Amino acid sequence: MSIAIPNRQLFINGDWKVPALGKRIPIINPSTQQIIGDIPAATKEDVDVAVAAAKAALSRNKGADWASASGAVRARYLRAIAAKVTEKKPELAKLEAIDCGKPLDEAAWDIDDVAGCFEFYADLAEKLDSKQKAPVSLPMDTFKSYVLKEPIGVVGLITPWNYPMLMATWKVAPALAAGCAAILKPSELASLGEICKEVGLPPGVLNILTGLGPEAGAPLAVHPDVDKIAFTGSSATGSKIMTAAAQLVKPVSLELGGKSPIVVFEDVDLDKAAEWTIFGCFWTNGQICSATSRLIVHESIATEFLNRIVKWIKNIKISDPLEEGCRLGPVVSEGQRESGKKEPSPGRCICFHALGFFLYEKILKFISNAKSEGATILTGGSRPEHLNKGFFVEPTVITDVTTSMQIWREEVFGPVLCVKTFSTEEEAIDLANDTVYGLGSAVISNDLERCERITKAFKAGIVWINCSQPCFTQAPWGGIKRSGFGRELGECTSLMNRGAGTTLPQRCDTYLRAEME
């Protein structure tokens, strides 16, 4: 299955622009390890031009072209983008699979979600019109008060490579719906620029800059005319962005790393629970920040349950993501040479090198360290024997883990599941919360009253009940602790309007339960 790799430029002010310094970065196909193209490498000079274009877009025609246009006007553009995405789905899905190594079927589902996300925020954009100047009840009749919803302004959106187009859409769609102008720093191949040009989006409303973190992402984070930064990536990078933005008292929203638990009780259907456990950890080749990569299983079923998991894993087809039936592709890039010198992931460096180093060699090092610390590699742990090229890692299960081990405490960002057993509900809760992260968590049990107790005890922004990883545009997404703050998706996204959010000091956690019949 062949596909032409597009020759990208920067997308600024509604047109394609050559980067100011003419720099480009090679792109490597993680399945073949071959260079398949290159992308422009933006620098501070390009960031300045893009920010100026976004700022001008907001003030053009006294704001009537975009910022103060009705929500219904903006909704028409969002729906046009959704329709174009659907039209181009076969091409976009193949580019996603080539770009980050995820199976083609998964990439196609992502593109469906992209279109659905634009449609959802088109609906919300229209609803904004009826909410304008909502009256506020006051204790004195001599005063009147109302709330005016306004766009935040120019927003910088920095997104990762594991969901190239979808993660960009999670930020772009609500920003455009609210009337903001955006500078998107995405992964490389899956660009919205061509689609936005085709639907006639006003120039400067969305600008797209690819490039290396220090040269493009960092200048975007500290630019004085960028009113907000929204970032998805590692906790370490999020901390740096937060520090940079603080110098200008600039708001940020951060969706960061995770080391999420999945707790399995003794009363479950073992096959169903095994399927959700495998899906929760190995989906997107394990390269997902919310992966439930810490299995906490009741001691009475542990042996049989792990046998079922190993049996499931043996049936997973590991191959080039474009092959029919592929269920696990390569991780995104090599990341480290045998010399030990860290090599930047070509074209995949987000701001301050956000996710690009959670890669092939690092994953294998995690597995090796776990073994040296006394853990047992129950299955997997190396390159599949039938594949001699590409950054492939077998789905791996590690047992005999202690809570002090690196494999228990740190995010691997690969297809690696570590396991501990428990005997009591209290012990399971303690193990689940034994992490500095707080993005996702899951519990599987037929006792729904117990599930209710467990979910209230979990310290995480997203809780799955009898499932793991389902995500819907309608429900808020985000974490607590070192997994960040702010929410994406749903109506309470942090990118919809200036001052958006609850008026009470409460979190906006999301609970999702699957029916187990």
Side-chain angles (χ1 to χ4, degrees):
M1 187 184 298
S2 62
I3 182 171
I5 304 300
N7 181 25
R8 297 289 189 210
Q9 300 293 350
L10 305 177
F11 187 71
I12 300 175
N13 203 30
D15 211 347
W16 299 106
K17 306 288 186 183
V18 175
L21 301 186
K23 293 185 176 181
R24 297 190 72 85
I25 308 167
I27 301 170
I28 294 177
N29 183 331
S31 295
T32 64
Q33 300 179 236
Q34 295 178 338
I35 294 175
I36 56 174
D38 57 37
I39 57 165
T43 57
K44 181 182 182 301
E45 293 82 357
D46 303 300
V47 171
D48 290 341
V49 175
V51 172
K55 191 174 179 181
L58 293 179
S59 60
R60 188 181 300 119
N61 195 17
K62 296 183 179 181
D65 286 1
W66 191 254
S68 60
S70 69
V73 167
R74 296 194 292 269
R76 285 198 291 272
Y77 286 104
L78 296 181
R79 291 200 176 97
I81 292 172
K84 278 291 181 183
V85 167
T86 300
E87 176 187 323
K88 295 174 179 289
K89 174 182 171 180
E91 171 192 347
L92 292 172
K94 291 172 189 174
L95 285 174
E96 294 263 299
I98 292 170
D99 182 15
C100 61
K102 69 171 58 187
L104 181 59
D105 287 346
E106 292 184 24
W109 298 330
D110 288 353
I111 301 304
D112 288 336
D113 288 344
V114 167
C117 190
F118 275 108
E119 290 282 1
F120 176 79
Y121 283 106
D123 291 343
L124 284 191
E126 289 179 332
K127 291 176 183 177
L128 285 175
D129 292 339
S130 63
K131 294 179 180 179
Q132 290 294 34
K133 295 189 175 182
V136 177
S137 178
L138 301 177
M140 297 178 66
D141 293 337
T142 52
F143 296 93
K144 303 295 181 184
S145 177
Y146 63 83
V147 174
L148 181 64
K149 295 182 180 294
E150 298 178 306
I152 295 169
V154 176
V155 292
L157 313 175
I158 303 172
T159 59
W161 44 258
N162 55 337
Y163 286 85
M165 198 166 185
L166 184 58
M167 293 294 97
T169 299
W170 280 18
K171 291 176 169 54
V172 168
L176 298 190
C180 297
I183 297 95
L184 169 67
K185 187 182 178 304
S187 185
E188 50 273 17
L189 292 183
S191 172
L192 287 167
E194 182 180 351
I195 289 172
C196 290
K197 191 172 176 65
E198 289 180 8
V199 303
L201 191 71
V205 167
L206 178 62
N207 307 275
I208 302 173
L209 306 178
T210 51
L212 301 176
E215 295 178 358
L220 183 60
V222 300
H223 200 289
D225 289 332
V226 172
D227 298 296
K228 177 172 181 174
I229 292 289
F231 170 76
T232 297
S234 73
S235 298
T237 302
S239 177
K240 292 177 181 179
I241 287 178
M242 191 173 175
T243 300
Q247 308 310 306
L248 297 171
V249 198
K250 180 183 303 186
V252 298
S253 56
L254 304 173
E255 200 266 84
L256 307 177
K259 191 69 176 178
S260 302
I262 181 167
V263 177
V264 179
F265 281 90
E266 70 278 11
D267 60 346
V268 299
D269 180 304
L270 293 183
D271 282 320
K272 287 183 179 179
E275 186 174 7
W276 276 118
T277 300
I278 290 168
F279 183 86
C281 185
F282 301 144
W283 177 253
T284 309
N285 306 335
Q287 297 181 130
I288 178 170
C289 52
S290 60
T292 41
S293 59
R294 290 186 299 135
L295 169 61
I296 301 165
V297 58
H298 194 274
E299 59 187 12
S300 66
I301 63 167
T303 298
E304 178 59 25
F305 187 64
L306 291 174
N307 287 340
R308 302 285 180 100
I309 284 180
V310 171
K311 182 180 177 180
W312 272 91
I313 286 174
K314 297 298 184 184
N315 290 322
I316 292 176
K317 180 177 180 178
I318 309 171
S319 68
D320 184 299
L322 297 183
E323 278 191 26
E324 186 176 354
C326 174
R327 287 295 173 264
L328 194 80
V331 297
V332 76
S333 89
E334 187 173 19
Q336 185 174 339
R337 296 294 188 187
E338 293 180 359
S339 65
K341 182 179 179 181
K342 190 174 281 185
E343 175 195 15
S345 170
R348 294 182 169 88
C349 296
I350 319 301
C351 181
F352 302 102
H353 307 300
L355 289 173
F357 295 137
F358 289 89
L359 309 167
Y360 180 69
E361 291 292 342
K362 187 168 184 179
I363 294 167
L364 295 181
K365 184 66 174 175
F366 266 108
I367 297 169
S368 174
N369 286 349
K371 189 174 181 179
S372 67
E373 288 181 292
T376 300
I377 312 303
L378 183 64
T379 189
S382 59
R383 172 190 290 277
E385 292 182 359
H386 67 288
L387 296 166
N388 55 18
K389 283 187 178 181
F391 308 128
F392 292 92
V393 179
E394 294 176 308
T396 301
V397 178
I398 302 177
T399 60
D400 299 318
V401 173
T402 68
T403 58
S404 63
M405 289 181 179
Q406 179 194 39
I407 198 68
W408 178 262
R409 310 214 70 82
E410 296 184 24
E411 185 178 35
V412 177
F413 223 70
V416 180
L417 179 71
C418 63
V419 184
K420 278 194 68 62
T421 61
F422 70 92
S423 58
T424 68
E425 186 174 308
E426 291 74 19
E427 184 184 3
I429 292 169
D430 288 343
L431 287 169
N433 290 334
D434 181 32
T435 174
V436 298
Y437 297 107
L439 185 53
S441 57
V443 56
I444 300 183
S445 171
N446 286 327
D447 184 341
L448 293 183
E449 289 185 4
R450 175 161 59 190
C451 287
E452 183 71 14
R453 292 193 302 270
I454 295 288
T455 57
K456 288 182 178 179
F458 279 151
K459 295 178 181 177
I462 306 155
V463 178
W464 292 289
I465 303 167
N466 289 328
C467 57
S468 178
Q469 302 311 316
C471 174
F472 295 91
T473 303
Q474 295 78 7
W477 179 277
I480 61 172
K481 300 194 287 186
R482 293 190 193 176
S483 291
F485 56 86
R487 290 296 181 266
E488 297 186 306
L489 303 182
E491 293 193 35
C492 64
T493 173
S494 304
L495 272 166
M496 276 301 290
N497 295 101
R498 184 185 302 167
T502 177
T503 57
L504 297 175
Q506 295 175 309
R507 298 206 311 258
C508 186
D509 296 344
T510 297
Y511 296 82
L512 179 66
R513 193 183 86 189
E515 300 301 326
M516 294 295 284
E517 289 83 0

